[in-house]
Amino acid sequence: GKHRIVIPCLGHFKEEYEKVSKLYMNNKIRTTRYTLWNFLPRNLFEQFHRVANLYFLFLAILNWVPLVEAFQKEITMLPLVGVLTIIAVKDGLEDYSRYKMDKQINNLVTKVYSR
C-alpha cells in the first residue's frame, strides 16, 4: 500500500523539512483582499464598478474638453478624488484589520491528538 513519510521540523531534520515543505500548499488563513503591490490598482478597479464614481469620472473628463468646459478643470476632479481617497483609506484600514486577525489566528498554538 501507500506509505506516509512525516518529517519533523526539529533539529537536524530542519533542512529536509524546508526542502520538502516547499512542494506542498500551506494551511494559513488569508482573508485579505489586497497586498501592498496590488492595493491601488485593485482598489480603483473595484471603486469604478460603482456607477456614481463612473459618472463623476465622466464629468471630470468632459470638463477637460474646451467646448464643454463648465468649471475650472481642477475643481471638477475634487469630489471624485475626495470620494476615492476616503473609500481607499477605509478599505485599507479594514483590510489591515483582517490581516492582523489572520496573523493572530495563524499563530495560535494547536494540539494534535493521537490515538
Side-chain angles (χ1 to χ4, degrees):
K2 295 181 180 180
H3 294 281
R4 180 176 169 213
I5 299 173
V6 177
I7 301 171
C9 181
L10 301 171
H12 62 279
F13 295 110
K14 186 125 178 128
E15 290 178 21
E16 188 177 357
Y17 171 79
E18 289 175 359
K19 185 171 49 172
V20 172
S21 65
K22 290 179 183 176
L23 302 173
Y24 301 102
M25 295 291 295
N26 62 17
N27 62 349
K28 289 186 177 181
I29 293 173
R30 182 174 179 260
T31 59
T32 58
R33 289 185 197 171
Y34 310 109
T35 63
L36 287 175
W37 304 111
N38 73 1
F39 176 75
L40 190 61
R42 190 165 181 186
N43 187 268
L44 287 175
F45 178 75
E46 290 179 10
Q47 287 192 45
F48 281 116
H49 274 127
R50 297 186 182 122
V51 177
N53 291 343
L54 284 174
Y55 172 74
F56 282 112
L57 177 66
F58 174 72
L59 286 179
I61 291 172
L62 192 62
N63 205 29
W64 284 84
V65 177
L67 294 174
V68 190
E69 183 179 344
F71 314 113
Q72 291 178 345
K73 298 172 185 172
E74 296 80 16
I75 292 176
T76 313
M77 295 174 63
L78 284 178
L80 179 65
V81 171
V83 168
L84 293 179
T85 303
I86 290 170
I87 293 174
V89 167
K90 178 191 70 83
D91 288 346
L93 290 174
E94 286 177 356
D95 207 53
Y96 182 68
S97 67
R98 277 191 228 112
Y99 166 76
K100 288 191 327 188
M101 185 63 72
D102 291 346
K103 191 173 179 181
Q104 182 181 9
I105 290 172
N106 287 329
N107 290 327
L108 286 176
V109 176
T110 59
K111 293 182 180 181
V112 177
Y113 291 99
S114 168
R115 294 183 202 167

